[in-house]
Every structure is written in structure tokens, then in C-alpha cells.
Amino acid sequence: MAIFIEGKSVCNLCGKTIDDTIEFSVPSIEIINELDHLNIFIDSTMHQHCINKDSRKKELLDLISQWIKNSGPGNRKCLVCSNEVTDPDNYFSIGYLTNNKESPLYKYNFLHFHKSHLKDWPEKNNFLSLLTNYRSKGLIKGALLDWLIEDIANQV
Ligand SMILES: [Zn+2]
Ligand SMILES: [Zn+2]
């Protein structure tokens, strides 16, 4: 949640009150790796002039545009069967893993599945071993990550 003090929100970057209008806000995007340096922006608001001079702005905009492309009606297509997932109880998604295009994890950002089809995903084991390997090296960490690994491993 964004921080509200006496009905006013506070800029995530400079800590000062944002008067009148919220100038730049970041939605609640699921970032798997709690070490990711974009994590501090999630679900927060800031002054437009503050984000404009921040070196992470380009990466942040890239994250938001990837997220928009992969959210909402029509965009939840199961990677295994190509059909849209409409049943929330049979939905499984992989959130944002990395913004590093060189990383082998990059292609797994924002994937959608029927939960029941996850076991048929040809890359399942490869993805799992990547995650556990990166976790053991301390490159990625977090409760969401642990949950993701456990949940995928349980699909047999
Ligand atoms: Zn500010
Ligand atoms: Zn499917």
C-alpha cells in the first residue's frame, strides 16, 4: 500500500507530501525476487519530477509495460494449451523474475498456465532447477520465490 499521512500521500523517493494529484503511481506488480532493486517502487506513488531524475526510471517503465501487456482480460493465455484461463481456481502465474535480458530467467517473466496443465509444461523441470540453483547462490530470494518453487514442484 502507498503511505498515507493525514489523507495525503508521500513520495516514495523524496519522502515529501504529494499535494493534490498523485503524479506517478506504480501498481501492485508481483516481483518474485525480493532482492530486485525495483521492489521499492511496487504499489507506491511519487512525484513525477522525482521519478524523472531517478536512474531506475527506464527499467521501471519497462516493468510496467510488460505487466500491462500480460494483465487483464484476453491476456491470460495458458502456455501449454494456448487457451485463455478463465477459471481463477485453475490459474497459475509466474510473476516478474528479472529485468536482465541476458538472464536465463528473463523468458519466464509473466507466464500464465491452467494450473492443471503445469505438469505438462516441457520446461517445468528446467525452470525449477534454474530457480533452485539461483536461490542457493543467493541471487534470488523471498517468500514468493519459495512458494513458487514449492507449488511448481508439487505439480506431478
Ligand atoms: Zn518526491
Ligand atoms: Zn492450458
Side-chain angles (χ1 to χ4, degrees), residues 1 5 11-12 17-18 22 24-25 39 44-45 48 51-52 58 77 83 88 104 107-108 112 123 129 143 145 154:
M1 282 296 292
I5 297 173
C11 174
N12 191 28
T17 303
I18 301 173
I22 291 171
F24 186 86
S25 68
N39 235 326
S44 76
T45 54
Q48 187 71 53
I51 188 62
N52 282 350
K58 191 173 171 296
K77 294 245 168 50
N83 292 315
K107 67 174 177 171
Y108 299 110
H112 311 279
E123 293 189 63
S129 61
L145 174 69
N154 284 338

Side-chain angles (χ1 to χ4, degrees), residues 78 80-82 114 117:
C78 172
V80 175
C81 73
S82 303
H114 290 103
H117 288 164

Side-chain angles (χ1 to χ4, degrees), residues 9-61:
S9 60
V10 168
C11 174
N12 191 28
L13 289 169
C14 72
K16 296 191 182 116
T17 303
I18 301 173
D19 289 316
D20 302 326
T21 54
I22 291 171
E23 299 193 13
F24 186 86
S25 68
V26 181
S28 184
I29 300 171
E30 190 173 84
I31 291 190
I32 303 295
N33 181 13
E34 69 175 40
L35 301 174
D36 193 293
H37 72 164
L38 297 180
N39 235 326
I40 64 150
F41 293 109
I42 300 308
D43 206 4
S44 76
T45 54
M46 48 224 104
H47 296 114
Q48 187 71 53
H49 64 260
C50 286
I51 188 62
N52 282 350
K53 63 188 181 194
D54 193 282
S55 61
R56 295 159 292 188
K57 182 187 178 190
K58 191 173 171 296
E59 291 174 63
L60 184 60
L61 292 179

